[in-house]
PDB file of all heavy atoms in Angstrom:
ATOM      1  N   LEU K 199     -60.065 -33.687  48.964  1.00  0.00           N
ATOM      2  CA  LEU K 199     -59.707 -34.697  47.937  1.00  0.00           C
ATOM      3  C   LEU K 199     -59.754 -34.016  46.535  1.00  0.00           C
ATOM      4  O   LEU K 199     -58.837 -34.130  45.705  1.00  0.00           O
ATOM      5  CB  LEU K 199     -60.698 -35.868  47.966  1.00  0.00           C
ATOM      6  CG  LEU K 199     -60.540 -36.805  49.004  1.00  0.00           C
ATOM      7  CD1 LEU K 199     -61.586 -37.930  49.034  1.00  0.00           C
ATOM      8  CD2 LEU K 199     -59.205 -37.456  48.941  1.00  0.00           C
ATOM      9  N   LEU K 200     -60.884 -33.150  46.258  1.00  0.00           N
ATOM     10  CA  LEU K 200     -61.019 -32.522  44.910  1.00  0.00           C
ATOM     11  C   LEU K 200     -60.293 -31.325  44.694  1.00  0.00           C
ATOM     12  O   LEU K 200     -60.080 -30.912  43.550  1.00  0.00           O
ATOM     13  CB  LEU K 200     -62.709 -32.324  44.743  1.00  0.00           C
ATOM     14  CG  LEU K 200     -63.548 -33.510  44.999  1.00  0.00           C
ATOM     15  CD1 LEU K 200     -65.002 -33.198  44.911  1.00  0.00           C
ATOM     16  CD2 LEU K 200     -63.132 -34.641  43.934  1.00  0.00           C
ATOM     17  N   GLN K 201     -59.905 -30.607  45.901  1.00  0.00           N
ATOM     18  CA  GLN K 201     -59.135 -29.433  45.726  1.00  0.00           C
ATOM     19  C   GLN K 201     -60.031 -28.346  45.011  1.00  0.00           C
ATOM     20  O   GLN K 201     -59.549 -27.534  44.300  1.00  0.00           O
ATOM     21  CB  GLN K 201     -57.894 -29.634  45.021  1.00  0.00           C
ATOM     22  CG  GLN K 201     -56.780 -30.397  45.744  1.00  0.00           C
ATOM     23  CD  GLN K 201     -56.370 -29.767  47.114  1.00  0.00           C
ATOM     24  OE1 GLN K 201     -55.777 -28.760  47.027  1.00  0.00           O
ATOM     25  NE2 GLN K 201     -56.701 -30.392  48.235  1.00  0.00           N
ATOM     26  N   VAL K 202     -61.312 -28.401  45.299  1.00  0.00           N
ATOM     27  CA  VAL K 202     -62.225 -27.236  44.857  1.00  0.00           C
ATOM     28  C   VAL K 202     -63.204 -27.114  46.055  1.00  0.00           C
ATOM     29  O   VAL K 202     -63.485 -27.968  46.801  1.00  0.00           O
ATOM     30  CB  VAL K 202     -63.057 -27.651  43.641  1.00  0.00           C
ATOM     31  CG1 VAL K 202     -62.028 -27.957  42.410  1.00  0.00           C
ATOM     32  CG2 VAL K 202     -63.883 -28.870  43.796  1.00  0.00           C
ATOM     33  N   PRO K 203     -63.766 -25.806  45.982  1.00  0.00           N
ATOM     34  CA  PRO K 203     -64.864 -25.589  47.076  1.00  0.00           C
ATOM     35  C   PRO K 203     -66.115 -26.353  46.723  1.00  0.00           C
ATOM     36  O   PRO K 203     -66.551 -26.599  45.595  1.00  0.00           O
ATOM     37  CB  PRO K 203     -65.105 -24.096  46.850  1.00  0.00           C
ATOM     38  CG  PRO K 203     -64.573 -23.752  45.510  1.00  0.00           C
ATOM     39  CD  PRO K 203     -63.534 -24.693  45.241  1.00  0.00           C
ATOM     40  N   LEU K 204     -66.754 -26.846  47.853  1.00  0.00           N
ATOM     41  CA  LEU K 204     -67.999 -27.631  47.691  1.00  0.00           C
ATOM     42  C   LEU K 204     -69.069 -27.034  48.612  1.00  0.00           C
ATOM     43  O   LEU K 204     -68.764 -26.326  49.497  1.00  0.00           O
ATOM     44  CB  LEU K 204     -67.766 -28.970  48.075  1.00  0.00           C
ATOM     45  CG  LEU K 204     -66.849 -29.993  47.313  1.00  0.00           C
ATOM     46  CD1 LEU K 204     -66.704 -31.302  47.943  1.00  0.00           C
ATOM     47  CD2 LEU K 204     -67.263 -30.000  45.930  1.00  0.00           C
ATOM     48  N   ILE K 205     -70.325 -27.286  48.112  1.00  0.00           N
ATOM     49  CA  ILE K 205     -71.463 -26.907  48.948  1.00  0.00           C
ATOM     50  C   ILE K 205     -72.557 -27.996  48.898  1.00  0.00           C
ATOM     51  O   ILE K 205     -72.574 -28.681  47.900  1.00  0.00           O
ATOM     52  CB  ILE K 205     -72.066 -25.457  48.405  1.00  0.00           C
ATOM     53  CG1 ILE K 205     -73.139 -24.868  49.385  1.00  0.00           C
ATOM     54  CG2 ILE K 205     -72.683 -25.653  46.980  1.00  0.00           C
ATOM     55  CD1 ILE K 205     -73.468 -23.537  49.116  1.00  0.00           C
ATOM     56  N   ALA K 206     -73.370 -28.057  49.854  1.00  0.00           N
ATOM     57  CA  ALA K 206     -74.499 -28.993  49.919  1.00  0.00           C
ATOM     58  C   ALA K 206     -75.624 -28.196  49.342  1.00  0.00           C
ATOM     59  O   ALA K 206     -76.002 -27.210  49.797  1.00  0.00           O
ATOM     60  CB  ALA K 206     -74.755 -29.554  51.246  1.00  0.00           C
ATOM     61  N   GLY K 207     -76.396 -28.816  48.395  1.00  0.00           N
ATOM     62  CA  GLY K 207     -77.438 -28.193  47.706  1.00  0.00           C
ATOM     63  C   GLY K 207     -78.432 -29.166  46.977  1.00  0.00           C
ATOM     64  O   GLY K 207     -78.217 -30.351  47.090  1.00  0.00           O
ATOM     65  N   THR K 208     -79.366 -28.555  46.388  1.00  0.00           N
ATOM     66  CA  THR K 208     -80.491 -29.305  45.561  1.00  0.00           C
ATOM     67  C   THR K 208     -80.697 -28.475  44.191  1.00  0.00           C
ATOM     68  O   THR K 208     -80.202 -27.365  43.953  1.00  0.00           O
ATOM     69  CB  THR K 208     -81.753 -29.239  46.395  1.00  0.00           C
ATOM     70  OG1 THR K 208     -82.173 -27.999  46.629  1.00  0.00           O
ATOM     71  CG2 THR K 208     -81.549 -30.005  47.646  1.00  0.00           C
ATOM     72  N   VAL K 209     -81.375 -29.236  43.378  1.00  0.00           N
ATOM     73  CA  VAL K 209     -81.919 -28.709  42.116  1.00  0.00           C
ATOM     74  C   VAL K 209     -83.413 -28.975  42.063  1.00  0.00           C
ATOM     75  O   VAL K 209     -83.903 -29.793  42.786  1.00  0.00           O
ATOM     76  CB  VAL K 209     -81.134 -29.341  40.874  1.00  0.00           C
ATOM     77  CG1 VAL K 209     -79.676 -28.793  40.909  1.00  0.00           C
ATOM     78  CG2 VAL K 209     -81.163 -30.860  40.785  1.00  0.00           C
ATOM     79  N   ASN K 210     -84.060 -28.475  40.876  1.00  0.00           N
ATOM     80  CA  ASN K 210     -85.508 -28.889  40.683  1.00  0.00           C
ATOM     81  C   ASN K 210     -86.300 -28.810  41.842  1.00  0.00           C
ATOM     82  O   ASN K 210     -87.090 -29.670  42.135  1.00  0.00           O
ATOM     83  CB  ASN K 210     -85.492 -30.167  40.032  1.00  0.00           C
ATOM     84  CG  ASN K 210     -84.913 -30.205  38.440  1.00  0.00           C
ATOM     85  OD1 ASN K 210     -85.220 -29.135  37.871  1.00  0.00           O
ATOM     86  ND2 ASN K 210     -84.341 -31.265  38.161  1.00  0.00           N
ATOM     87  N   ARG K 211     -86.258 -27.698  42.618  1.00  0.00           N
ATOM     88  CA  ARG K 211     -87.102 -27.441  43.716  1.00  0.00           C
ATOM     89  C   ARG K 211     -87.022 -28.516  44.821  1.00  0.00           C
ATOM     90  O   ARG K 211     -87.987 -29.262  45.222  1.00  0.00           O
ATOM     91  CB  ARG K 211     -88.578 -27.259  43.302  1.00  0.00           C
ATOM     92  CG  ARG K 211     -89.431 -26.650  44.271  1.00  0.00           C
ATOM     93  CD  ARG K 211     -90.848 -26.388  43.786  1.00  0.00           C
ATOM     94  NE  ARG K 211     -90.765 -25.277  42.824  1.00  0.00           N
ATOM     95  CZ  ARG K 211     -90.803 -23.970  42.960  1.00  0.00           C
ATOM     96  NH1 ARG K 211     -90.907 -23.639  44.288  1.00  0.00           N
ATOM     97  NH2 ARG K 211     -90.751 -23.055  41.992  1.00  0.00           N
ATOM     98  N   GLY K 212     -85.717 -28.777  45.264  1.00  0.00           N
ATOM     99  CA  GLY K 212     -85.566 -29.714  46.270  1.00  0.00           C
ATOM    100  C   GLY K 212     -85.042 -31.202  46.051  1.00  0.00           C
ATOM    101  O   GLY K 212     -84.773 -31.797  46.939  1.00  0.00           O
ATOM    102  N   SER K 213     -84.705 -31.404  44.649  1.00  0.00           N
ATOM    103  CA  SER K 213     -84.347 -32.787  44.435  1.00  0.00           C
ATOM    104  C   SER K 213     -82.874 -32.912  44.872  1.00  0.00           C
ATOM    105  O   SER K 213     -82.028 -32.098  44.528  1.00  0.00           O
ATOM    106  CB  SER K 213     -84.522 -33.092  42.929  1.00  0.00           C
ATOM    107  OG  SER K 213     -83.753 -34.237  42.537  1.00  0.00           O
ATOM    108  N   ASP K 214     -82.510 -33.980  45.485  1.00  0.00           N
ATOM    109  CA  ASP K 214     -81.082 -34.184  45.940  1.00  0.00           C
ATOM    110  C   ASP K 214     -80.392 -35.222  44.889  1.00  0.00           C
ATOM    111  O   ASP K 214     -79.083 -35.294  45.059  1.00  0.00           O
ATOM    112  CB  ASP K 214     -81.056 -35.011  47.239  1.00  0.00           C
ATOM    113  CG  ASP K 214     -81.924 -36.257  47.237  1.00  0.00           C
ATOM    114  OD1 ASP K 214     -82.162 -36.860  46.189  1.00  0.00           O
ATOM    115  OD2 ASP K 214     -82.226 -36.832  48.426  1.00  0.00           O
ATOM    116  N   VAL K 215     -81.092 -35.560  43.809  1.00  0.00           N
ATOM    117  CA  VAL K 215     -80.363 -36.333  42.738  1.00  0.00           C
ATOM    118  C   VAL K 215     -79.694 -35.249  41.713  1.00  0.00           C
ATOM    119  O   VAL K 215     -80.266 -35.044  40.727  1.00  0.00           O
ATOM    120  CB  VAL K 215     -81.360 -37.299  41.981  1.00  0.00           C
ATOM    121  CG1 VAL K 215     -80.539 -38.093  41.093  1.00  0.00           C
ATOM    122  CG2 VAL K 215     -82.120 -38.000  43.039  1.00  0.00           C
ATOM    123  N   LEU K 216     -78.631 -34.775  42.127  1.00  0.00           N
ATOM    124  CA  LEU K 216     -78.052 -33.651  41.407  1.00  0.00           C
ATOM    125  C   LEU K 216     -77.493 -34.062  40.084  1.00  0.00           C
ATOM    126  O   LEU K 216     -77.812 -33.134  39.073  1.00  0.00           O
ATOM    127  CB  LEU K 216     -76.855 -33.010  42.250  1.00  0.00           C
ATOM    128  CG  LEU K 216     -77.323 -32.477  43.636  1.00  0.00           C
ATOM    129  CD1 LEU K 216     -76.072 -32.460  44.638  1.00  0.00           C
ATOM    130  CD2 LEU K 216     -77.806 -31.108  43.533  1.00  0.00           C
ATOM    131  N   GLY K 217     -77.056 -35.185  39.893  1.00  0.00           N
ATOM    132  CA  GLY K 217     -76.523 -35.520  38.677  1.00  0.00           C
ATOM    133  C   GLY K 217     -77.528 -35.700  37.581  1.00  0.00           C
ATOM    134  O   GLY K 217     -77.330 -35.564  36.363  1.00  0.00           O
ATOM    135  N   ALA K 218     -78.860 -35.998  37.980  1.00  0.00           N
ATOM    136  CA  ALA K 218     -79.980 -36.163  37.099  1.00  0.00           C
ATOM    137  C   ALA K 218     -80.426 -34.654  36.648  1.00  0.00           C
ATOM    138  O   ALA K 218     -81.173 -34.573  35.567  1.00  0.00           O
ATOM    139  CB  ALA K 218     -81.031 -36.876  37.671  1.00  0.00           C
ATOM    140  N   GLY K 219     -80.249 -33.678  37.481  1.00  0.00           N
ATOM    141  CA  GLY K 219     -80.846 -32.381  37.306  1.00  0.00           C
ATOM    142  C   GLY K 219     -79.931 -31.304  36.771  1.00  0.00           C
ATOM    143  O   GLY K 219     -80.386 -30.157  36.592  1.00  0.00           O
ATOM    144  N   LEU K 220     -78.644 -31.486  36.883  1.00  0.00           N
ATOM    145  CA  LEU K 220     -77.653 -30.554  36.393  1.00  0.00           C
ATOM    146  C   LEU K 220     -76.372 -30.976  35.862  1.00  0.00           C
ATOM    147  O   LEU K 220     -76.032 -32.035  36.091  1.00  0.00           O
ATOM    148  CB  LEU K 220     -77.265 -29.913  37.878  1.00  0.00           C
ATOM    149  CG  LEU K 220     -76.008 -28.994  37.971  1.00  0.00           C
ATOM    150  CD1 LEU K 220     -76.466 -27.687  37.359  1.00  0.00           C
ATOM    151  CD2 LEU K 220     -75.586 -28.781  39.379  1.00  0.00           C
ATOM    152  N   VAL K 221     -76.094 -30.176  34.784  1.00  0.00           N
ATOM    153  CA  VAL K 221     -74.813 -30.480  34.045  1.00  0.00           C
ATOM    154  C   VAL K 221     -74.058 -29.137  34.042  1.00  0.00           C
ATOM    155  O   VAL K 221     -74.660 -28.039  34.000  1.00  0.00           O
ATOM    156  CB  VAL K 221     -74.967 -30.961  32.679  1.00  0.00           C
ATOM    157  CG1 VAL K 221     -75.624 -32.382  32.723  1.00  0.00           C
ATOM    158  CG2 VAL K 221     -75.749 -30.059  31.713  1.00  0.00           C
ATOM    159  N   ALA K 222     -72.862 -29.286  34.127  1.00  0.00           N
ATOM    160  CA  ALA K 222     -71.926 -27.979  34.260  1.00  0.00           C
ATOM    161  C   ALA K 222     -70.500 -28.206  33.705  1.00  0.00           C
ATOM    162  O   ALA K 222     -70.028 -29.358  33.777  1.00  0.00           O
ATOM    163  CB  ALA K 222     -71.936 -27.516  35.712  1.00  0.00           C
ATOM    164  N   ASN K 223     -69.934 -27.115  33.209  1.00  0.00           N
ATOM    165  CA  ASN K 223     -68.469 -27.103  33.005  1.00  0.00           C
ATOM    166  C   ASN K 223     -67.874 -25.857  33.510  1.00  0.00           C
ATOM    167  O   ASN K 223     -68.486 -25.331  34.358  1.00  0.00           O
ATOM    168  CB  ASN K 223     -68.196 -27.185  31.532  1.00  0.00           C
ATOM    169  CG  ASN K 223     -68.647 -26.041  30.609  1.00  0.00           C
ATOM    170  OD1 ASN K 223     -69.024 -25.084  31.173  1.00  0.00           O
ATOM    171  ND2 ASN K 223     -68.605 -26.340  29.424  1.00  0.00           N
ATOM    172  N   ASP K 224     -66.691 -25.437  33.242  1.00  0.00           N
ATOM    173  CA  ASP K 224     -66.060 -24.437  33.920  1.00  0.00           C
ATOM    174  C   ASP K 224     -66.653 -23.037  33.722  1.00  0.00           C
ATOM    175  O   ASP K 224     -66.267 -21.980  34.307  1.00  0.00           O
ATOM    176  CB  ASP K 224     -64.646 -24.363  33.616  1.00  0.00           C
ATOM    177  CG  ASP K 224     -63.787 -25.442  34.260  1.00  0.00           C
ATOM    178  OD1 ASP K 224     -64.339 -26.164  35.099  1.00  0.00           O
ATOM    179  OD2 ASP K 224     -62.657 -25.598  33.962  1.00  0.00           O
ATOM    180  N   TRP K 225     -67.505 -22.897  32.573  1.00  0.00           N
ATOM    181  CA  TRP K 225     -67.987 -21.550  32.309  1.00  0.00           C
ATOM    182  C   TRP K 225     -69.580 -21.612  32.020  1.00  0.00           C
ATOM    183  O   TRP K 225     -70.070 -20.550  31.531  1.00  0.00           O
ATOM    184  CB  TRP K 225     -67.236 -21.130  31.155  1.00  0.00           C
ATOM    185  CG  TRP K 225     -66.990 -22.033  29.975  1.00  0.00           C
ATOM    186  CD1 TRP K 225     -65.920 -23.008  30.067  1.00  0.00           C
ATOM    187  CD2 TRP K 225     -67.721 -22.340  28.780  1.00  0.00           C
ATOM    188  NE1 TRP K 225     -66.058 -23.886  28.896  1.00  0.00           N
ATOM    189  CE2 TRP K 225     -67.071 -23.513  28.150  1.00  0.00           C
ATOM    190  CE3 TRP K 225     -68.800 -21.759  28.269  1.00  0.00           C
ATOM    191  CZ2 TRP K 225     -67.608 -23.917  26.888  1.00  0.00           C
ATOM    192  CZ3 TRP K 225     -69.300 -22.302  27.039  1.00  0.00           C
ATOM    193  CH2 TRP K 225     -68.659 -23.355  26.329  1.00  0.00           C
ATOM    194  N   CYS K 226     -70.247 -22.674  32.191  1.00  0.00           N
ATOM    195  CA  CYS K 226     -71.578 -22.720  31.902  1.00  0.00           C
ATOM    196  C   CYS K 226     -72.348 -23.863  32.686  1.00  0.00           C
ATOM    197  O   CYS K 226     -71.575 -24.868  32.972  1.00  0.00           O
ATOM    198  CB  CYS K 226     -71.900 -22.894  30.448  1.00  0.00           C
ATOM    199  SG  CYS K 226     -73.631 -22.709  29.888  1.00  0.00           S
ATOM    200  N   ALA K 227     -73.622 -23.802  32.861  1.00  0.00           N
ATOM    201  CA  ALA K 227     -74.331 -24.805  33.532  1.00  0.00           C
ATOM    202  C   ALA K 227     -75.780 -24.750  33.037  1.00  0.00           C
ATOM    203  O   ALA K 227     -76.356 -23.726  32.663  1.00  0.00           O
ATOM    204  CB  ALA K 227     -74.364 -24.538  35.011  1.00  0.00           C
ATOM    205  N   PHE K 228     -76.373 -25.920  33.103  1.00  0.00           N
ATOM    206  CA  PHE K 228     -77.768 -26.239  32.707  1.00  0.00           C
ATOM    207  C   PHE K 228     -78.447 -26.993  33.789  1.00  0.00           C
ATOM    208  O   PHE K 228     -77.966 -27.971  34.222  1.00  0.00           O
ATOM    209  CB  PHE K 228     -77.853 -26.862  31.398  1.00  0.00           C
ATOM    210  CG  PHE K 228     -77.241 -26.171  30.115  1.00  0.00           C
ATOM    211  CD1 PHE K 228     -75.901 -26.395  29.873  1.00  0.00           C
ATOM    212  CD2 PHE K 228     -77.957 -25.288  29.413  1.00  0.00           C
ATOM    213  CE1 PHE K 228     -75.385 -25.713  28.833  1.00  0.00           C
ATOM    214  CE2 PHE K 228     -77.356 -24.575  28.342  1.00  0.00           C
ATOM    215  CZ  PHE K 228     -76.090 -24.881  28.047  1.00  0.00           C
ATOM    216  N   CYS K 229     -79.547 -26.524  34.171  1.00  0.00           N
ATOM    217  CA  CYS K 229     -80.435 -27.252  35.155  1.00  0.00           C
ATOM    218  C   CYS K 229     -81.871 -27.365  34.801  1.00  0.00           C
ATOM    219  O   CYS K 229     -82.230 -26.739  33.814  1.00  0.00           O
ATOM    220  CB  CYS K 229     -80.326 -26.525  36.574  1.00  0.00           C
ATOM    221  SG  CYS K 229     -80.672 -24.710  36.578  1.00  0.00           S
ATOM    222  N   GLY K 230     -82.500 -28.188  35.552  1.00  0.00           N
ATOM    223  CA  GLY K 230     -83.915 -28.548  35.231  1.00  0.00           C
ATOM    224  C   GLY K 230     -84.890 -27.103  35.415  1.00  0.00           C
ATOM    225  O   GLY K 230     -84.482 -26.396  36.147  1.00  0.00           O
ATOM    226  N   TYR K 231     -85.870 -27.197  34.634  1.00  0.00           N
ATOM    227  CA  TYR K 231     -86.780 -25.944  34.529  1.00  0.00           C
ATOM    228  C   TYR K 231     -87.372 -25.596  35.838  1.00  0.00           C
ATOM    229  O   TYR K 231     -87.730 -24.416  36.172  1.00  0.00           O
ATOM    230  CB  TYR K 231     -87.752 -26.190  33.499  1.00  0.00           C
ATOM    231  CG  TYR K 231     -88.401 -24.793  33.001  1.00  0.00           C
ATOM    232  CD1 TYR K 231     -87.713 -24.055  32.192  1.00  0.00           C
ATOM    233  CD2 TYR K 231     -89.662 -24.444  33.395  1.00  0.00           C
ATOM    234  CE1 TYR K 231     -88.242 -22.964  31.589  1.00  0.00           C
ATOM    235  CE2 TYR K 231     -90.049 -23.178  32.942  1.00  0.00           C
ATOM    236  CZ  TYR K 231     -89.411 -22.443  32.016  1.00  0.00           C
ATOM    237  OH  TYR K 231     -89.878 -21.135  31.623  1.00  0.00           O
ATOM    238  N   ASP K 232     -87.553 -26.548  36.702  1.00  0.00           N
ATOM    239  CA  ASP K 232     -88.148 -26.287  38.099  1.00  0.00           C
ATOM    240  C   ASP K 232     -87.083 -25.794  39.077  1.00  0.00           C
ATOM    241  O   ASP K 232     -87.571 -25.474  40.338  1.00  0.00           O
ATOM    242  CB  ASP K 232     -88.792 -27.566  38.563  1.00  0.00           C
ATOM    243  CG  ASP K 232     -90.067 -27.901  37.872  1.00  0.00           C
ATOM    244  OD1 ASP K 232     -90.675 -26.940  37.189  1.00  0.00           O
ATOM    245  OD2 ASP K 232     -90.661 -28.928  38.093  1.00  0.00           O
TER     246      ASP K 232
END
Side-chain angles (χ1 to χ4, degrees):
L199 287 178
L200 302 176
Q201 292 296 297
V202 297
L204 296 178
I205 194 170
T208 59
V209 293
N210 287 328
R211 198 174 292 275
S213 172
D214 56 16
V215 189
L216 297 157
L220 171 69
V221 293
N223 64 14
D224 286 354
W225 42 278
C226 190
F228 299 88
C229 54
Y231 200 77
D232 283 348

